Amino acid sequence: MDKLKLREKLQEAIDQFSFPGQLIEIEINKQGHINDTYVLSFSKDDQVQRYIFQRVNKGVFQQPEALMENIVGVTKHLRKKIEEIQGDPHRQVLQVLPTKDQTAYYIDSKGDFWRSYNFIEDSLSLDQAQSPEDLFQTGLAFGNFQRQLADYPVKNLHQSIADFHNTEKRLENFLRAMKEDPLKRRDQILDEADFILKRADFCKTFMDLERKKAVPLRVTHNDTKLNNILLDKTTRKALCIVDLDTIMPGLAMNDFGDAIRSGASKALEDEVDLDKVALDLDLYEHFTRGFLQGTGKSLEDLEIYHLRTGAKMMTLENGIRFLTDYLEGDSYFKIAYADHNLDRGRNQLKLVADMENKWQQMLEIVNRYKEK
Ligand code: ADP
Ligand code: GN1
Ligand code: MG
């Protein structure tokens, strides 16, 4: 889309927010799979100020009010915690920029849902770790995030997506898509379906624990993908956790798990050479050390025992979700080419298989950092 068209598309919504000065640039950020993310630059008195501006995916998030209430509540709580430890509240937590009407979002004439945040300057968002220290920092930040939210009332949170990490339901949806097979893609993934079905019991593990109330529901992020954390460009320390749309009551193990899935693989999530896809135990160890340092004493023994289960669960669940979307016609995740979801799905299943080979070592590493 050319610049003028893009500006036209965004103008109605931009006009509703109190941005300072003149809009001088609109850039597109393509890192996420869900929302349309733009970086707006405004100039005032020779100063340039940038903002994140998002068209939130209304197919995925159907209750803007509830979603933004979660985000406003949680970011306020985090800001207080950051101020208490003399951190930098402007760079370490997202700040929702209200509309001129003082609301946290705007619904435009087409029914699209828009919101804005402060842009965190001098930061990096990685699709793949560049050093083990990146993973230590990420682990520490996600661990701290859980600890800092441990006293936030879980009951105040709305479910922004129902059954988001209900892996049992994810499997049911996959099996239904296999049966209905609207695009006749089923035959492409018979081996993958067989791999998934062999793990049907495993898919129940966390739902069983939840039903027995054996593990607590906590305030969790639920989308702890590596590129949902910003690192400081200069110090390379973890700076700010972003993409807060899925903050909901959830399981600590899943926050650990999705970060391992996305950050501790030797390859990108859509690498097609499956020989390259494997769990990097060194990265896994660095993340684990950071995460357990961050959570401190806040996790129960059973949660710690099941951290490795979370890594396998989130990887299998994402594999199932990518393949379901492939079968259903790629309506959920953004794709860059026709078989993108198929490639992502295969990649995730290969990572699951590799985790199974390293299952014992994954537990030993967790135990090594548990006592410290
Ligand atoms: P999606 O839900 O589509 O993944 P995100 O909210 O994660 O959208 O935003 C996409 C990307 O934009 C993030 O991965 C991150 O790189 C970047 N980003 C998001 N918020 C900010 C921010 N406040 N400052 C700087 N970069 C950001
Ligand atoms: C999506 O929004 P993004 O790109 O950070 C998805 C996650 C998946 C991930 C896979 C709301 O994350 O659940 O694990 O893609 N987010 C949502 O890359 O579905
Ligand atoms: Mg994201």
Side-chain angles (χ1 to χ4, degrees):
M1 190 183 297
D2 69 32
K3 285 193 168 175
L4 219 62
K5 280 234 173 73
L6 179 62
R7 197 174 170 140
E8 262 171 39
K9 183 177 141 183
L10 270 59
Q11 197 67 55
E12 179 196 338
I14 290 175
D15 287 345
Q16 305 306 315
F17 291 78
S18 301
F19 295 117
Q22 285 296 107
L23 176 62
I24 53 170
E25 199 177 1
I26 303 176
E27 290 158 282
I28 303 178
N29 177 309
K30 292 211 165 143
Q31 272 179 298
H33 292 345
I34 304 296
N35 298 317
D36 291 343
T37 301
Y38 305 95
V39 181
L40 307 183
S41 303
F42 290 87
S43 160
K44 192 183 176 196
D45 306 329
D46 288 337
Q47 298 261 32
V48 175
Q49 186 123 18
R50 298 206 282 174
Y51 295 87
I52 284 283
F53 196 55
Q54 289 182 312
R55 182 168 71 154
V56 183
N57 188 322
K58 63 178 177 186
V60 172
F61 300 105
Q62 287 152 6
Q63 295 172 284
E65 182 74 43
L67 171 71
M68 293 310 291
E69 210 175 286
N70 281 354
I71 295 180
V72 169
V74 163
T75 50
K76 207 167 140 194
H77 183 92
L78 289 172
R79 189 162 304 109
K80 222 172 107 215
K81 299 267 164 166
I82 289 163
E83 280 162 358
E84 275 165 19
I85 53 166
Q86 271 86 49
D88 180 353
H90 301 292
R91 295 186 78 223
Q92 293 179 320
V93 60
L94 288 180
Q95 167 93 51
V96 175
L97 182 86
T99 64
K100 288 175 180 162
D101 293 337
Q102 298 305 310
T103 53
Y105 64 95
Y106 171 67
I107 305 280
D108 72 12
S109 49
K110 287 202 234 102
D112 279 336
F113 160 20
W114 300 85
R115 58 129 185 264
S116 180
Y117 293 119
N118 56 323
F119 181 84
I120 314 284
E121 297 287 351
D122 303 313
S123 66
L124 294 167
S125 157
L126 304 174
D127 291 320
Q128 212 173 0
Q130 288 166 0
S131 75
E133 179 63 17
D134 289 343
L135 263 252
F136 170 74
Q137 284 297 324
T138 304
L140 187 62
F142 280 126
N144 279 332
F145 183 85
Q146 287 219 344
R147 191 176 32 79
Q148 289 176 332
L149 288 168
D151 57 345
Y152 190 86
V154 184
K155 63 169 179 30
N156 287 7
L157 287 174
H158 309 282
Q159 291 274 346
S160 46
I161 302 179
D163 292 317
F164 191 57
H165 287 320
N166 182 336
T167 315
E168 261 175 34
K169 271 252 169 71
R170 296 287 187 185
L171 176 61
E172 277 170 29
N173 293 345
F174 172 72
L175 294 176
R176 192 179 47 243
M178 281 294 279
K179 207 164 151 204
E180 292 172 2
D181 194 21
L183 296 173
K184 301 278 165 269
R185 289 178 162 179
R186 181 181 186 276
D187 289 351
Q188 302 297 315
I189 58 164
L190 294 178
D191 290 347
E192 289 76 10
D194 188 48
F195 180 96
I196 291 167
L197 269 177
K198 287 196 172 109
R199 287 152 185 83
D201 277 345
F202 175 79
C203 289
K204 295 188 185 145
T205 316
F206 285 167
M207 301 314 294
D208 282 343
L209 292 178
E210 266 192 65
R211 282 186 283 263
K212 283 192 263 172
K213 299 205 188 315
V215 286
L217 275 180
R218 298 182 180 278
V219 179
T220 47
H221 183 285
N222 296 303
D223 189 0
T224 51
K225 188 170 161 174
L226 186 63
N227 68 20
N228 286 331
I229 184 158
L230 306 177
L231 303 181
D232 188 305
K233 232 182 217 168
T234 316
T235 63
R236 215 144 175 130
K237 292 209 182 321
L239 190 57
C240 182
I241 289 171
V242 301
D243 205 345
L244 306 178
D245 296 324
T246 49
I247 291 185
M248 281 183 278
L251 303 179
M253 298 86 87
N254 289 337
D255 272 9
F256 175 90
D258 201 63
I260 295 299
R261 171 194 79 78
S262 61
S265 173
K266 291 187 182 185
L268 286 169
E269 175 187 84
D270 57 0
E271 172 62 57
V272 290
D273 179 354
L274 297 187
D275 289 341
K276 291 188 182 155
V277 180
L279 178 70
D280 183 323
L281 279 176
D282 188 34
L283 294 180
Y284 174 87
E285 176 159 357
H286 277 77
F287 183 89
T288 303
R289 182 165 64 86
F291 188 79
L292 288 175
Q293 186 176 316
T295 50
K297 293 192 188 314
S298 65
L299 297 188
E300 296 177 4
D301 283 350
L302 192 60
E303 293 175 288
I304 296 175
Y305 173 75
H306 275 301
L307 290 178
R308 67 171 174 169
T309 318
K312 179 172 155 186
M313 190 68 71
M314 287 301 96
T315 312
L316 181 60
E317 185 182 281
N318 269 276
I320 293 172
R321 291 174 64 196
F322 287 138
L323 292 175
T324 306
D325 202 29
Y326 171 70
L327 290 169
E328 290 177 342
D330 310 301
S331 55
Y332 188 93
F333 295 106
K334 288 184 182 176
I335 52 167
Y337 57 89
D339 284 348
H340 207 165
N341 276 320
L342 173 62
D343 291 340
R344 288 168 175 155
R346 287 182 171 151
N347 173 308
Q348 299 294 285
L349 299 187
K350 168 66 204 298
L351 188 56
V352 169
D354 192 59
M355 286 178 181
E356 289 173 351
N357 290 331
K358 295 172 177 159
W359 201 230
Q360 189 54 31
Q361 286 150 288
M362 287 169 80
L363 181 61
E364 281 162 14
I365 289 170
V366 166
N367 286 340
R368 195 171 308 151
Y369 293 99
K370 189 175 134 178
E371 290 88 7
K372 292 187 185 154

